Amino acid sequence: MEAVLVAMSVSATKQDDDKISHNLTTTTSDVEIVTSGNRRIPAHSGVLALASPVLMNIIKKPVRRYRGCGSRRVIKILGVPCDAVSVFIKFLYTSSLTEDEMERYGIHLLALSHVYMVTQLKQRCSKGIIQRLTAENVVDVLQLARLCDAPDVYLRSMRLIHSQFKTVEVTEGWKFLQEHDPSLELDILQFIDDAESRKKRSRRHRKEQDLYMQLSEAMECIEHICTQGCTLVGPSNVVDNNNKPTMIAENLKPCKAFSTCYGLQLLIRHFAVCKRRSKDKGCLRCKRMLQLFRLHSSVCDQPESCRVPLCRQFKKRGEQDKKMGEDTKWKLLVTRVVTAKAMSSLCQSKKNKCEEEAENLIKTKELLGFVDNNED
């Protein structure tokens, strides 16, 4: 193929560590690239058209004759350094780009790849520019990303400005932006405001989820205390009827949610003997316990056989409230506690399954090792 034969004739050399030139076989070249410094780079229309649809359209147009160029077609690539154009043409031939070239001409190559629709080069430049983002150049990169339709570069630039805004706002790029591009400045400030709002919502959501998980755990502990009985006061002790600590049996494991379970036991004991509960102002701890009993009744699916105090009474009252119109906030709380309980059970089952698989794998390895030793 002509494109392959032509590409083999390309060689890139460096001069004075900062200039790149291409030695192309001028006998078959039919295009001449003219840069801003009036440098002329011979090229081949077949290679350019294959690499860039924009260059293909330019090449298809009638040839404009320029003095001193003979029959060659002339394509002007202006507005960027000459060496950047040389690197761009070299990439069209070889699809290669060094780190040093990316360091020097990455921004210019991004602009060229966008203008001439060289997708592969645009992706390479986007990744390279993102890796080299700093507080000093981020504003310039952001402006270029918006012009060149590079959403990944644009988003990463916005995030960097948000995370290092105090450093960015003292740079020359930010001052220039304030004077010449107030619309982009407004977009940046809006992005920062939205990001802070998302952070606040996320923190609030995590706190709410933690609360629902704690309430779900409390519901399990209440059922555990009232059905199986739990007199633990510490990970290794129990309390008998005389409230004297004794050592638990070796085969009895401590309660998994000890802190929650122990706190609920104290609340239940207080609720059973509190004399302030029936007074006008009532008792705050007793009110809290009644709310937990009511919540348990709302999530309990076996009220007839449930041994939790007041479960059936609250269930009957809940049925009356449904007829009269149940409290929306309470209904939402019950729904989210039930969801948290389901998610907790799912996570626990996955954890148990992983632990079981790990144990089986260890046993299998030990068995295989034992068999190998016996064979030896």
Side-chain angles (χ1 to χ4, degrees):
M1 294 176 61
E2 180 186 359
V4 176
L5 295 175
V6 170
M8 293 175 62
S9 66
V10 181
S11 61
T13 60
K14 292 186 178 181
Q15 298 178 357
D16 300 330
D17 294 331
D18 62 347
K19 290 185 178 181
I20 302 174
S21 62
H22 300 280
N23 299 321
L24 304 176
T25 55
T26 58
T27 55
T28 59
S29 63
D30 57 347
V31 177
E32 199 165 64
I33 308 296
V34 179
T35 67
S36 298
N38 203 27
R39 182 186 297 179
R40 297 175 180 271
I41 305 172
H44 304 79
S45 59
V47 176
L48 300 184
L50 188 64
S52 167
V54 176
L55 291 174
M56 178 187 291
N57 292 333
I58 294 175
I59 291 169
K60 286 182 179 179
K61 293 180 180 179
V63 179
R64 296 182 62 183
R65 306 296 179 184
Y66 289 88
R67 185 176 299 175
C69 295
S71 60
R72 293 182 186 174
R73 181 186 300 273
V74 174
I75 299 176
K76 293 184 178 181
I77 300 180
L78 309 176
V80 295
C82 303
D83 292 339
V85 179
S86 298
V87 174
F88 176 68
I89 300 300
K90 187 198 80 169
F91 184 88
L92 298 184
Y93 276 85
T94 64
S95 297
S96 63
L97 186 65
T98 65
E99 291 296 322
D100 182 61
E101 291 168 349
M102 176 62 69
E103 184 72 30
R104 293 185 180 188
Y105 312 114
I107 292 178
H108 305 295
L109 292 174
L110 178 62
L112 290 172
S113 65
H114 173 70
V115 172
Y116 293 99
M117 299 178 65
V118 185
T119 305
Q120 185 181 2
L121 178 59
K122 189 173 183 179
Q123 293 174 350
R124 294 272 297 275
C125 291
S126 296
K127 291 180 180 178
I129 290 173
I130 287 173
Q131 293 173 357
R132 293 166 175 81
L133 272 178
T134 64
E136 293 295 329
N137 68 4
V138 65
V139 175
D140 297 330
V141 171
L142 180 65
Q143 291 175 306
L144 179 65
R146 187 175 63 167
L147 293 173
C148 295
D149 189 23
D152 47 350
V153 180
Y154 185 88
L155 182 59
R156 291 295 291 271
S157 300
M158 282 288 198
R159 288 176 176 173
L160 180 61
I161 293 175
H162 172 227
S163 61
Q164 302 183 24
F165 184 70
K166 290 188 179 296
T167 305
V168 173
E169 68 177 348
V170 298
T171 61
E172 293 297 327
W174 180 259
K175 295 176 182 178
F176 180 86
L177 180 71
Q178 287 181 308
E179 295 178 0
H180 298 89
D181 198 348
S183 63
L184 182 56
E185 179 191 5
L186 183 62
D187 291 342
I188 294 172
L189 296 177
Q190 183 66 45
F191 179 88
I192 293 174
D193 184 64
D194 292 342
E196 291 297 326
S197 299
R198 285 194 297 272
K199 278 187 176 180
K200 291 179 181 178
R201 289 196 299 269
S202 179
R203 285 195 294 265
R204 185 169 62 249
H205 179 72
R206 284 197 297 269
K207 289 181 179 179
E208 290 176 355
Q209 292 302 314
D210 291 340
L211 175 61
Y212 299 141
M213 291 298 293
Q214 291 173 10
L215 288 174
S216 173
E217 187 179 78
M219 296 301 100
E220 294 179 357
C221 289
I222 287 177
E223 187 174 353
H224 159 67
I225 292 168
C226 296
T227 56
Q228 300 175 359
C230 184
T231 55
L232 290 172
V233 295
S236 302
N237 297 328
V238 296
V239 176
D240 59 11
N241 296 330
N242 297 324
N243 293 332
K244 295 180 180 180
T246 59
M247 296 302 294
I248 63 173
E250 293 182 358
N251 59 351
L252 182 61
K253 295 182 180 180
C255 184
K256 293 182 179 179
F258 168 72
S259 58
T260 304
C261 191
Y262 182 63
L264 285 171
Q265 288 180 68
L266 296 179
L267 274 178
I268 291 173
R269 289 176 180 177
H270 170 80
F271 182 80
V273 298
C274 182
K275 297 179 180 180
R276 295 172 52 197
R277 189 173 64 214
S278 58
K279 293 184 178 180
D280 295 337
K281 293 183 179 181
C283 174
L284 181 61
R285 297 175 69 184
C286 291
K287 289 180 180 178
R288 188 179 303 166
M289 194 68 243
L290 283 171
Q291 289 177 341
L292 291 175
F293 281 146
R294 182 189 174 192
L295 183 59
H296 164 79
S297 174
S298 300
V299 301
C300 181
D301 55 354
Q302 296 178 345
E304 298 300 327
S305 59
C306 183
R307 298 179 62 182
V308 176
L310 306 178
C311 181
R312 285 186 291 275
Q313 290 86 332
F314 277 118
K315 207 73 173 178
K316 292 179 180 178
R317 184 182 298 178
E319 292 175 357
Q320 295 175 359
D321 291 340
K322 286 182 180 179
K323 295 179 181 179
M324 299 176 61
E326 192 175 9
D327 185 5
T328 305
K329 291 184 178 180
W330 181 262
K331 187 177 179 180
L332 180 63
L333 174 64
V334 172
T335 302
R336 291 184 175 176
V337 170
V338 171
T339 304
K341 183 178 181 180
M343 292 298 295
S344 177
S345 301
L346 181 62
C347 293
Q348 187 63 35
S349 62
K350 287 184 177 180
K351 183 179 178 182
N352 294 339
K353 185 178 180 180
C354 291
E355 291 177 353
E356 184 179 353
E357 290 178 354
E359 290 178 359
N360 293 336
L361 182 60
I362 293 172
K363 290 179 180 179
T364 303
K365 288 183 177 180
E366 290 177 351
L367 180 60
L368 292 174
F370 177 76
V371 172
D372 292 339
N373 292 333
N374 289 340
E375 290 179 353
D376 293 340

